[in-house]
Amino acid sequence: MFWEIERKSIFLKKIYNICCSNKINMLLSNFSKFILETGTDEAGRGCLAGPVTAAAVILSPTLSKGERAKTDTIKFLLEQLNDSKQLSEKTREKLRPIIESQAISFAVTHLHPNEIDEINILNASMKGMQECILKLNLTPEFIIVDGNRLLNAKLGLKTTFGKQFSKTEIELLKSIPNQSIVKGDSKYMSIAAASVLAKTYRDEYMNVIHEEFPMYNWKQNKGYPTKEHREAIRKYGVTKYHRMTFRLLPEQLKLDI
């Protein structure tokens, strides 16, 4: 029995190494049996400044099959697509227009600091993905969500800022079956594609507001809690783009607001 298990383990390792050496994408194209399956993800949850950005993507389940897979563009997508955190900035930027051109439908949403501060970052992340679903030009038949929380949790939160969901929109979101998948962005193509769009759109936004407040170097740190970013907060104070409910400095110092 032991040797049988050992042989299977060696065999699986060989298959994995062959796939890696040939750049075969290990991501799955579909979780459910539905054609219009949407993957959702977000970027920027841990940042001190800027929006949390969500994306939703519907890819064709036959994207990796047939003649389409023989084009250089599709090959690049299939070989390189992965969790955005595992990709270089250059690769993400190359993938973005390919994802957009090959998607059946896609949507991106920014939720800004005032809304994050009002409903907290977890709820804001989920609301952003919910908004993306409503923006799609096709109604999904099934939704897969990166993480451990179903997409239709906490629907219709009343907020001072941002979009207010109508009763019809809430009922629509409730009606679509969905599944949360831990580390889904490294398992399913549509979630990985959503992670790339969320990351690239958010980075683009941070590059724009960097020009308004260059002293925080958001073009480089994208609003994350780097030592440089926190030193700039200590020196210059906070801006309208900072999340005031976050611990902006390691010490509990009073900031000029």
Side-chain angles (χ1 to χ4, degrees):
M1 177 65 76
F2 173 78
W3 294 112
E4 181 66 22
I5 294 173
E6 184 69 15
R7 279 197 296 272
K8 286 183 179 179
S9 177
I10 293 171
F11 175 75
L12 290 173
K13 286 180 180 178
K14 285 182 178 179
I15 292 296
Y16 178 80
N17 289 335
I18 290 171
C19 289
C20 290
S21 63
N22 288 285
K23 293 187 176 180
I24 297 174
N25 199 306
M26 302 294 287
L27 300 183
L28 300 172
S29 62
N30 205 258
F31 175 85
S32 69
K33 301 297 183 182
F34 295 101
I35 293 175
L36 297 181
E37 178 180 281
T38 303
T40 60
D41 201 4
E42 50 71 30
R45 267 178 67 168
C47 296
L48 304 181
V52 60
T53 303
V57 179
I58 305 177
L59 293 174
S60 169
T62 61
L63 186 64
S64 60
K65 300 176 183 178
E67 291 299 315
R68 297 183 70 194
K70 294 181 180 180
T71 68
D72 290 340
T73 298
I74 300 300
K75 281 183 180 179
F76 182 81
L77 175 66
L78 296 175
E79 291 174 357
Q80 299 297 326
L81 184 60
N82 202 345
D83 166 16
S84 63
K85 297 184 291 296
Q86 305 301 318
L87 302 174
S88 67
E89 181 179 1
K90 183 178 180 180
T91 299
R92 290 194 298 266
E93 291 297 332
K94 284 185 177 180
L95 283 170
R96 173 173 156 178
I98 299 174
I99 292 168
E100 293 177 346
S101 67
Q102 297 302 318
I104 296 174
S105 184
F106 73 91
V108 179
T109 296
H110 297 303
L111 262 75
H112 297 283
N114 50 11
E115 192 165 4
I116 294 170
D117 288 337
E118 184 172 18
I119 63 175
N120 79 46
I121 186 60
L122 177 58
N123 287 330
S125 298
M126 297 305 295
K127 185 170 184 264
M129 289 188 277
Q130 292 162 1
E131 288 189 30
C132 285
I133 296 300
L134 295 173
K135 284 183 177 181
L136 294 171
N137 56 24
L138 293 168
T139 300
E141 297 172 290
F142 197 91
I143 303 167
I144 50 177
V145 189
D146 183 55
N148 58 6
R149 193 183 189 213
L150 293 177
L151 188 71
N152 55 13
K154 292 288 185 75
L155 286 170
L157 287 172
K158 298 299 181 183
T159 57
T160 306
F161 308 100
K163 177 179 173 56
Q164 308 298 309
F165 290 170
S166 69
K167 184 177 180 180
T168 301
E169 289 171 331
I170 292 172
E171 290 304 315
L172 174 62
L173 289 169
K174 283 182 178 179
S175 71
I176 305 171
N178 65 100
Q179 176 66 49
S180 59
I181 302 171
V182 176
K183 296 184 178 179
D185 50 6
S186 61
K187 297 175 182 176
Y188 289 93
M189 290 182 64
S190 61
I191 301 180
S195 78
V196 170
L197 292 192
K199 174 62 175 168
T200 53
Y201 273 84
R202 187 181 187 279
D203 284 357
E204 183 176 73
Y205 182 95
M206 296 306 294
N207 290 344
V208 171
I209 65 173
H210 165 85
E211 300 302 321
E212 188 176 353
F213 294 99
M215 67 282 284
Y216 299 94
N217 199 16
W218 290 330
K219 191 171 185 178
Q220 181 66 36
N221 62 52
K222 306 305 187 220
Y224 281 92
T226 62
K227 181 178 179 181
E228 174 192 42
H229 188 185
R230 281 187 154 139
E231 284 301 318
I233 293 171
R234 191 191 306 275
K235 183 175 181 179
Y236 300 106
V238 296
T239 70
K240 60 185 178 182
Y241 298 112
H242 281 100
R243 304 174 185 178
M244 300 312 299
T245 54
F246 279 48
R247 191 179 185 187
L248 300 178
L249 294 175
E251 306 86 359
Q252 294 298 321
L253 297 179
K254 186 175 181 180
L255 294 169
D256 293 328
I257 301 175

